[in-house]
Amino acid sequence: MKKIKLSIKTILPAMAVAMMMASCDVETTTVMFDEDHNFTQASDTVFSVLGIMNQVQQVAERTVLLGEARADLVQVNPNYSSGNTVLMLRDLQNNDKEHMTDTTYNRYRDFYSVINNCNYYLAKADPNFIRGNKPVFGKERAVVSAYRAWAYLQLAEIYGKVPFYTQPLLSYSDIENVAKDESNRKGMEDICSYFIEDLKQYVDVEYPNYGDFTYGANATYNSQKFFLPVRLLLGDLYLWRGSCTGSQQDYLMAADCYGEYLKLNKKYITQTSSSYYKDAEMDSKVSGWNWGTSGSEQISFVPYAESSNYGNVSSLRQTFAYMLGSESLKEMVDTATYTYTGKVASDENNTRMELSLDTRYFGTEDKPAMLWKAVVDEDANISIAKGDLRLYQLTNVANADLNVNKWNSALLPTYRTTGVYLRFAEAINRAGFPNTAFIILKYGLSRGNLVAFDANGELDKLMQSGYDFWDMGNNTENVGIHSRGCGNVESNSHYVLDHSLSQDGQINQVEDYITDELALERSYEGCRFFDLMRFAMRRGESYLASHVARRNHPEMSESQIEATVLYQTLMNKDNWYLNMVEN
């Protein structure tokens, strides 16, 4: 068993952190001599990668804070009225960029520390250095390239157009020149385009496995989960670029990346993940599933130590202790429709799936395929309740405060299965297949459900598209994501797609469902403001502004919301991004 403290010093250049990207006059001095940092053996690269991961820790939780505090799902606990943390959070909630300068969250230099160390590694770790007929640095180059792309993506989300460079900067004068060069800046679209091309070469590279690392008495994690899966990162880059350009091709490529990863790694939304309402009148079904960041949901994460004795400790638990779920989130939870389908004679085990014969797409008349599809039994004993089980047990809805307790864990998830499926649905929807995206939400993506719930010939169009992201093969495990909090949603007559709408109308309706599902499934995880930003690139500034301004006023009319200062502030896209201030 290996034990490592995450305060380990990287052997890569430290980027002269005190002067990073500073715009002050300094002498031209060398930050790091090349000959001091050559990679000559495998052990060099191992500790270099761990050093970069250490720097990722410094910025990862900052993205969570910026992604949640500025959005619509949390509010500052009204019981707190003073203190530096409370004032900082209120500035973030107001989205007043002129006052959002607190170094707790606004330190862009730390992202460039990650980037420059990645640049240095990629410049020095020779891809042609072969030992035992294998490239010595091949696996680590993939890891480091993904970290660099991720860091730039975070910068684009937080700051908009940012200084861009891919060569290591080894002197203060180099740093200054890049910071001052306005022509050398890239925004989201250009950053995505660059790293899409850069990462393609790594999609099939196996990541290194350094074994297990201990971060506390009860915290041991396998190192492979520290690293960002390239296919999923590519999916995000295509999805963001499509949101900038409106390119259907980008959405198709995003769906292809997500779908390929999910199929290769056999990641499904399984029936055992579904929650059931605990109520004596509903056959005492127990809702006890842990919807946090543990178990099979984990794909990748940034680890933190249980205590400073083992390395860097996350501050998210302490910071989020000052916040509660917003009034808007409470209303979303309280008004969700929970469906419980009781046992019937033909369905003693209350199964959610059944077999059906198909000869149209996946079989022939001589050899019909047996496909699993979701059960929709209108004759069953259907009970309806209000609420979504993912955020709290619905025993006393009126008094629930939605305490933010997701950060009791020392893990900060970068990817987990349900989050990937929701972005998968987002990409499929925007690629022009709203019914298929809706199937992911309500029934679960499977061949049987694509056949059983096909509408307007969409499956034919999918089969003619040249892509196979939609075909989960013989998988029989997927259930609808909404069922994770709302029971037997297949029988829910309130959760439907209106096929009388135009295709654009259906796409918008499904996107609204996805917006709500992201709130119910991924609340407090740091994605919300950036998700709304991405949707608003397609739907207009008001999509983000209205959601955020309604944070604690869900009862307000649209005209009342539009009159608020917060709404008017966020109608200006410039206010979506922080200033890159020197602090």
Side-chain angles (χ1 to χ4, degrees):
M1 184 75 69
K2 299 176 184 176
K3 178 176 175 181
I4 185 168
K5 289 188 177 182
L6 288 188
S7 57
I8 183 172
K9 292 182 179 179
T10 175
I11 65 168
L12 295 177
M15 276 305 294
V17 175
M19 298 301 300
M20 170 62 68
M21 304 299 289
S23 54
C24 56
D25 294 328
V26 295
E27 294 181 7
T28 302
T29 58
T30 301
V31 176
M32 185 79 44
F33 292 102
D34 286 6
E35 58 266 32
D36 289 343
H37 298 277
N38 289 318
F39 298 104
T40 58
Q41 53 188 344
S43 60
D44 290 343
T45 195
V46 171
F47 286 103
S48 299
V49 170
L50 293 175
I52 292 172
M53 190 187 72
N54 173 268
Q55 294 176 315
V56 169
Q57 286 181 313
Q58 309 302 319
V59 298
E61 61 181 357
R62 201 171 307 158
T63 66
V64 172
L65 182 61
L66 290 170
E68 289 302 327
R70 301 182 67 199
D72 62 328
L73 304 181
V74 296
Q75 60 175 318
V76 178
N77 189 325
N79 293 326
Y80 297 105
S81 58
S82 61
N84 291 337
T85 300
V86 172
L87 294 176
M88 173 196 76
L89 292 172
R90 291 198 189 284
D91 283 342
L92 286 174
Q93 295 253 285
N94 292 332
N95 278 276
D96 183 351
K97 65 186 296 181
E98 297 305 320
H99 290 91
M100 292 191 293
T101 58
D102 193 305
T103 56
T104 304
Y105 57 84
N106 192 357
R107 276 209 318 264
Y108 69 92
R109 301 175 187 179
D110 292 349
F111 288 96
Y112 281 104
S113 184
V114 175
I115 289 165
N116 204 49
N117 279 279
C118 291
N119 288 345
Y120 192 92
Y121 179 90
L122 294 170
K124 288 294 184 179
D126 185 357
N128 299 315
F129 182 22
I130 306 295
R131 183 175 292 170
N133 296 321
K134 293 182 179 180
V136 173
F137 304 125
K139 294 180 179 181
E140 280 78 9
R141 286 183 65 87
V143 168
V144 172
S145 295
Y147 274 143
R148 180 174 67 171
W150 174 86
Y152 266 120
L153 183 58
Q154 307 312 304
L155 278 170
E157 289 178 355
I158 296 168
Y159 296 103
K161 206 166 187 178
V162 298
F164 185 87
Y165 62 98
T166 57
Q167 295 301 314
L169 303 181
L170 303 178
S171 73
Y172 292 119
S173 59
D174 289 341
I175 294 169
E176 271 202 319
N177 290 337
V178 168
K180 292 177 179 178
D181 186 1
E182 294 288 338
S183 67
N184 196 37
R185 299 197 170 204
K186 291 186 185 297
M188 180 63 77
E189 182 182 343
D190 289 336
I191 284 172
C192 289
S193 294
Y194 181 90
F195 287 110
I196 285 170
E197 295 306 314
D198 183 61
L199 292 179
K200 284 179 181 178
Q201 60 188 305
Y202 299 117
V203 289
D204 294 315
V205 174
E206 180 186 1
Y207 274 173
N209 189 342
Y210 303 144
D212 293 337
F213 288 82
T214 298
Y215 295 87
N218 301 303
T220 300
Y221 312 119
N222 185 271
S223 59
Q224 279 196 311
K225 289 198 171 184
F226 302 164
F227 310 136
L228 301 159
V230 169
R231 271 194 175 84
L232 297 184
L233 191 51
L234 276 170
D236 289 350
L237 293 168
Y238 278 118
L239 189 60
W240 273 105
R241 189 172 73 174
S243 302
C244 294
T245 65
S247 167
Q248 189 178 54
Q249 185 64 32
D250 278 339
Y251 292 123
L252 285 166
M253 289 301 298
D256 195 53
C257 290
Y258 294 134
E260 188 74 5
Y261 179 88
L262 293 167
K263 288 188 287 185
L264 285 173
N265 293 277
K266 294 181 172 57
K267 297 288 186 181
Y268 307 120
I269 308 296
T270 61
Q271 185 168 342
T272 55
S273 294
S274 301
S275 299
Y276 293 85
Y277 204 105
K278 186 176 181 180
D279 190 297
E281 296 179 1
M282 293 184 178
D283 202 30
S284 299
K285 290 292 183 180
V286 178
S287 60
W289 183 72
N290 183 352
W291 66 287
T293 58
S294 61
S296 60
E297 271 279 295
Q298 293 174 346
I299 293 176
S300 61
F301 53 79
V302 179
Y304 290 89
E306 288 183 341
S307 73
S308 57
N309 292 329
Y310 290 88
N312 292 333
V313 179
S314 171
S315 63
L316 286 175
R317 182 176 181 180
Q318 290 80 7
T319 303
F320 274 90
Y322 291 94
M323 290 187 278
L324 299 172
S326 68
E327 297 304 314
S328 179
L329 178 58
K330 288 181 184 180
E331 182 188 60
M332 194 183 306
V333 172
D334 294 349
T335 57
T337 303
Y338 184 94
T339 308
Y340 175 75
T341 306
K343 296 178 182 178
V344 294
S346 61
D347 184 19
E348 293 182 0
N349 296 318
N350 196 28
T351 182
R352 301 278 291 277
M353 304 287 284
E354 67 180 16
L355 280 169
S356 63
L357 288 175
D358 172 70
T359 59
R360 289 186 298 160
Y361 301 106
F362 306 110
T364 65
E365 290 185 4
D366 295 332
K367 295 182 178 180
M370 299 296 293
L371 305 177
W372 288 87
K373 68 176 183 179
V375 174
V376 181
D377 191 343
E378 296 179 358
D379 297 324
N381 179 25
I382 298 175
S383 300
I384 299 294
K386 288 294 185 182
D388 189 292
L389 298 185
R390 281 170 290 193
L391 296 184
Y392 52 76
Q393 303 296 320
L394 301 182
T395 55
N396 193 353
V397 173
N399 295 325
D401 282 330
L402 275 65
N403 291 311
V404 183
N405 58 9
K406 263 194 176 178
W407 298 112
N408 290 341
S409 167
L411 305 181
L412 190 159
T414 46
Y415 290 104
R416 63 182 181 90
T417 301
T418 309
V420 173
Y421 266 96
L422 284 168
R423 288 191 178 174
F424 186 31
E426 181 186 342
I428 290 173
N429 185 48
R430 279 290 158 180
F433 304 104
N435 190 66
T436 304
F438 184 68
I439 284 173
I440 293 175
L441 301 181
K442 182 165 184 173
Y443 305 107
L445 190 59
S446 69
R447 285 181 169 184
N449 288 337
L450 285 172
V451 171
F453 305 110
D454 188 21
N456 303 323
E458 188 168 292
L459 183 52
D460 271 334
K461 295 176 184 176
L462 279 170
M463 297 188 74
Q464 296 166 14
S465 69
Y467 292 86
D468 65 355
F469 54 76
W470 47 273
D471 186 0
M472 286 283 160
N474 294 322
N475 158 57
T476 60
E477 296 186 57
N478 270 334
V479 297
I481 292 175
H482 199 56
S483 69
R484 286 161 66 87
C486 289
N488 296 94
V489 70
E490 309 87 11
S491 301
N492 188 337
S493 60
H494 301 274
Y495 196 76
V496 296
L497 176 59
D498 186 352
H499 294 292
S500 69
L501 297 172
S502 66
Q503 186 182 56
D504 286 344
Q506 290 181 49
I507 287 172
N508 285 342
Q509 185 188 10
V510 171
E511 193 157 78
D512 289 341
Y513 277 135
I514 292 171
T515 302
D516 288 350
E517 201 62 34
L518 283 165
L520 295 166
E521 181 63 38
R522 301 211 64 190
S523 57
Y524 315 152
E525 290 184 17
C527 307
R528 186 59 172 179
F529 191 82
F530 308 124
D531 285 340
L532 291 175
M533 184 191 301
R534 195 169 58 252
F535 297 148
M537 289 176 174
R538 307 187 285 253
R539 302 281 292 274
E541 292 86 344
S542 63
Y543 198 80
L544 180 148
S546 180
H547 274 85
V548 177
R550 201 178 292 278
R551 177 194 295 137
N552 284 327
H553 302 286
E555 77 288 350
M556 280 189 176
S557 67
E558 198 62 37
S559 60
Q560 289 174 316
I561 289 294
E562 290 173 1
T564 63
V565 173
L566 186 53
Y567 178 91
Q568 294 298 326
T569 297
L570 292 172
M571 284 297 289
N572 181 350
K573 269 189 179 180
D574 289 343
N575 292 326
W576 297 359
Y577 307 104
L578 271 61
N579 289 326
M580 299 184 78
V581 296
E582 294 302 328
N583 44 28

